[in-house]
Amino acid sequence: MEGRSVKAFFPHSETTHGVTVRVSVSFLAEQSEPAKGRWFWAYHVRIENEGRSAVQLISREWTISDGSGGRHEVQGEGVVGEQPVIEPGDSFDYVSGCPLNSPAGTMEGRYHMVAADGSAFSVAIPRFPLVASTVAS
């Protein structure tokens, strides 16, 4: 994907220290059970290294807010079981999911990275909405 198509597919993006984080999100009606207070989304993240040296994603921090005002903090090593090294000009993609007990909310956070020279820095994950789509009958 180049240029406009990347921006169209990943509508949420933020660049920090030469690393761009792009996110697209999809409501998964087939995995949601509104009658039981459960809604589920999948989100696709692309991390692009636009810098001059390799970076490694060490850990993540998420803040997940639901439509009822609840907030949940999630921290952990890597993403989807990996601590990827991203070379200059390369990207790393992964897909994960998020359940909520309300039909709307938001996610945002940061990745903790280490550069090739050993310096540590954080990269912002843009805030993105979780909104259940309604199906007209």
Side-chain angles (χ1 to χ4, degrees):
M1 282 187 225
E2 292 294 325
R4 263 187 222 153
S5 60
V6 170
K7 290 176 184 170
F9 186 76
F10 295 102
H12 314 285
S13 68
E14 191 153 342
T15 302
T16 315
H17 301 293
V19 177
T20 297
V21 178
R22 300 184 189 279
V23 182
S24 67
V25 63
S26 301
F27 174 64
L28 301 180
E30 66 280 3
Q31 292 185 28
S32 299
E33 298 176 284
K36 295 181 179 178
R38 176 181 156 84
W39 290 265
F40 197 82
W41 291 264
Y43 55 91
H44 179 169
V45 177
R46 170 172 286 176
I47 304 164
E48 301 170 351
N49 181 0
E50 299 165 353
R52 296 181 182 201
S53 64
V55 298
Q56 182 173 18
L57 191 158
I58 301 300
S59 63
R60 69 191 183 284
E61 291 180 28
W62 286 102
T63 300
I64 304 166
S65 301
D66 65 34
S68 322
R71 287 171 57 100
H72 184 66
E73 305 287 330
V74 177
Q75 298 179 354
E77 291 188 2
V79 289
V80 294
E82 297 185 51
Q83 291 181 317
V85 173
I86 309 167
E87 297 293 334
D90 282 348
S91 62
F92 177 80
D93 286 70
Y94 74 94
V95 175
S96 192
C98 178
L100 284 183
N101 59 5
S102 69
T106 62
M107 288 181 69
E108 62 189 307
R110 68 182 48 87
Y111 295 123
H112 298 287
M113 315 286 276
V114 174
D117 67 4
S119 62
F121 62 98
S122 293
V123 171
I125 303 168
R127 181 178 178 148
F128 56 94
L130 304 171
V131 178
S133 55
T134 56
V135 179
S137 42

